Amino acid sequence: MRKESSKCITYCLPREILVDIASKVASQSLADLYHLKLASKEMMNITDDDYVYKHAYLDRVPFLRITKIPQDSFLRRCRSSGNLESLYRQGMEYYFLNNELCDEGLGMVRMAAQKGHKRSMYAFAMIVLMCIDARRRFFGLEELEEALAFLRFLRNHKCVLRCRNEVGELVSSLPWSMCSYLVMTITPCLCSSVPCTNTWRPRIGSEYLETEDDDDNDPNMCENCRWDHEVEEFYENFIP
């Protein structure tokens, strides 16, 4: 009965609407997408559209895979279809775990960030503000300004803490013995005023943010102090 109902739907609705429906299913659950694929041959064809892979939800797909598994071909298809989460993951893997592809990996993270992927925005910003590789590559003014612009965007959308935790969870899970070429260091403070008369502080009056609403966005406060604090928090909580 289910297959007959599915076949009726595929005949009644235009393909573009069906693809859009399938993409929304994919953005919520890969398990539901799998069941949708099995509904009929017509739905199998619909769910194979690039637009569906572009919106696939990957949070439950492990970042690091010890052995090659069928998910690898799925993730490659997601990347080739423009899935930003997949691009971000590949970029982070290259940057942290492959010395030869380090620059390419950072380029992937930056590209995903430029297209609006929030985790990539945060990851790129932290790399620029905090990381120097074994070749002592310092980031220039262009990268710094872009990193700060990403952080402002995340702050305005009240998702700095969420992105910190999500990116930090990924970074802290990395096998650091495989990326010994990477040197993590706290760069000189963005704020050069000592002491800063308008230094940033959370709205709650403590040194920690408990919710996004505790991040005081008062324009009179020093923005550089805010991001110096963010680098400290990320470093202390997630860097081995």
Side-chain angles (χ1 to χ4, degrees):
M1 177 68 104
R2 182 180 296 174
K3 288 189 176 181
E4 290 179 0
S5 175
S6 173
K7 185 175 293 188
C8 178
I9 291 174
T10 56
Y11 284 136
C12 293
L13 296 175
R15 176 182 171 84
E16 56 268 25
I17 292 179
L18 293 171
V19 169
D20 188 56
I21 292 172
S23 72
K24 286 179 170 55
V25 172
S27 70
Q28 297 296 318
S29 167
L30 293 185
D32 289 343
L33 178 65
Y34 174 75
H35 292 307
L36 186 61
K37 281 179 176 290
L38 298 180
S40 67
K41 289 183 179 179
E42 290 80 6
M43 288 309 300
M44 176 70 78
N45 180 264
I46 292 293
T47 55
D48 197 46
D49 193 279
D50 282 347
Y51 190 76
V52 176
Y53 285 90
K54 180 179 180 179
H55 292 86
Y57 177 77
L58 303 179
D59 279 21
R60 294 193 178 181
V61 178
F63 174 69
L64 290 174
R65 299 167 303 285
I66 299 175
T67 58
K68 295 294 181 182
I69 56 176
Q71 285 176 339
D72 286 343
S73 59
F74 170 76
L75 291 173
R76 283 196 298 272
R77 178 67 186 278
C78 287
R79 281 194 297 277
S80 66
S81 300
N83 186 297
L84 296 182
E85 174 67 17
S86 184
L87 184 65
Y88 155 73
R89 288 180 176 215
Q90 185 69 75
M92 294 289 277
E93 184 175 337
Y94 281 2
Y95 183 81
F96 284 103
L97 302 179
N98 193 321
N99 195 13
E100 294 180 357
L101 298 175
C102 177
D103 290 338
E104 183 179 345
L106 184 58
M108 289 179 173
V109 175
R110 189 179 192 177
M111 183 185 301
Q114 290 170 341
K115 293 183 177 181
H117 188 261
K118 293 177 181 176
R119 293 176 189 173
S120 297
M121 290 181 181
Y122 187 90
F124 179 80
M126 288 300 103
I127 289 172
V128 169
L129 296 181
M130 189 173 65
C131 303
I132 305 173
D133 65 24
R135 290 162 294 182
R136 294 297 187 267
R137 174 190 172 191
F138 290 85
F139 294 100
L141 184 60
E142 179 185 345
E143 289 95 344
L144 177 60
E145 289 180 347
E146 188 168 24
L148 294 177
F150 288 150
L151 289 174
R152 290 186 200 107
F153 177 90
L154 296 176
R155 189 181 190 183
N156 290 335
H157 285 76
K158 295 189 175 184
C159 56
V160 174
L161 270 67
R162 177 169 61 83
C163 289
R164 179 202 298 169
N165 291 330
E166 291 171 348
V167 174
E169 183 180 356
L170 185 153
V171 170
S172 61
S173 71
L174 295 172
W176 286 91
S177 59
M178 294 173 62
C179 52
S180 57
Y181 69 89
L182 193 68
V183 178
M184 307 300 264
T185 181
I186 294 292
T187 57
C189 293
L190 290 170
C191 180
S192 57
S193 301
V194 182
C196 181
T197 56
N198 295 313
T199 188
W200 173 87
R201 63 188 63 80
R203 183 176 283 118
I204 57 175
S206 74
E207 55 184 300
Y208 301 107
L209 295 177
E210 296 180 3
T211 71
E212 299 286 356
D213 288 331
D214 295 328
D215 187 356
D216 199 337
N217 210 4
D218 185 340
N220 294 317
M221 288 186 181
C222 177
E223 182 190 33
N224 286 340
C225 285
R226 169 66 184 93
W227 304 130
D228 286 338
H229 174 86
E230 189 62 36
V231 169
E232 260 182 60
E233 284 294 304
F234 185 79
Y235 188 90
E236 290 178 4
N237 285 288
F238 299 110
I239 304 302

